[in-house]
Amino acid sequence: MTEHPAAASVSVGPCTQRRTVLAALPGIILLPGIASACGMTEPAEPPSTVQQTTEVQATSIPAADVPVGTAKQVKSGDATVIVAQPTQGEFVAYSARCTHQGGTVQVVRDLHLRCPLHGAEYDATDGSNTLAPAPRPLDVVPVTESNGQLTIG
Ligand code: FES
């Protein structure tokens, strides 16, 4: 029997050989652990595109610190939060943790937010991701206003 010249030049590693042998046996199912031990990658789950809610340590700031049409970065415990007032008397807050890889989102101007790591952009009106690579909106942080004070978290 002669071997095809192209087949003779193909080099296969021990994992490929093992998978080939195992897959050829009747009744054998390749378990995920076996697959990953051989460097086979499982199909990656696509990142969620749904906005989520997160809790942070509560903090309070004067509502006057966030004029209408602006956003402000605030420390709340260990977390950094973006607080905004898109319309008169409507306050919203989001985690400043970028949904791409966790960079700290900055206020560029007004309600325009940007992550300095890879350039993802967000709208502080609703936290929506407006420019890739962010896969989803910023996480919502609860905020309430009472007697001119905002309670965040
Ligand atoms: S971590 Fe924010 S854009 Fe990548």
Side-chain angles (χ1 to χ4, degrees):
M1 178 172 136
T2 59
E3 192 170 305
H4 189 280
S9 66
V10 174
S11 162
V12 291
C15 282
T16 302
Q17 293 170 343
R18 193 176 307 129
R19 283 194 304 267
T20 303
V21 169
L22 289 174
L25 296 174
I28 296 292
I29 298 171
L30 287 181
L31 299 173
I34 294 171
S36 61
C38 287
M40 296 172 70
T41 55
E42 301 295 322
E45 295 248 346
S48 171
T49 58
V50 177
Q51 190 169 37
Q52 300 171 12
T53 299
T54 191
E55 297 289 330
V56 298
Q57 184 178 326
T59 193
S60 185
I61 64 169
D65 285 0
V66 188
V68 179
T70 68
K72 177 183 179 71
Q73 197 180 65
V74 175
K75 286 298 282 183
S76 189
D78 292 338
T80 304
V81 176
I82 303 289
V83 185
Q85 186 180 183
T87 60
Q88 180 69 44
E90 176 205 4
F91 293 94
V92 290
Y94 309 96
S95 166
R97 183 176 162 81
C98 180
T99 59
H100 178 228
Q101 291 180 357
T104 303
V105 171
Q106 308 291 314
V107 177
V108 177
R109 66 178 145 58
D110 302 330
L111 298 168
H112 186 177
L113 312 175
R114 180 180 298 134
C115 177
L117 290 192
H118 311 104
E121 295 186 7
Y122 300 89
D123 183 345
T125 302
D126 56 6
S128 59
N129 46 323
T130 57
L131 187 66
R136 68 173 196 273
L138 294 172
D139 293 351
V140 171
V141 171
V143 59
T144 57
E145 189 273 334
S146 178
N147 298 323
Q149 284 291 118
L150 299 178
T151 301
I152 303 157

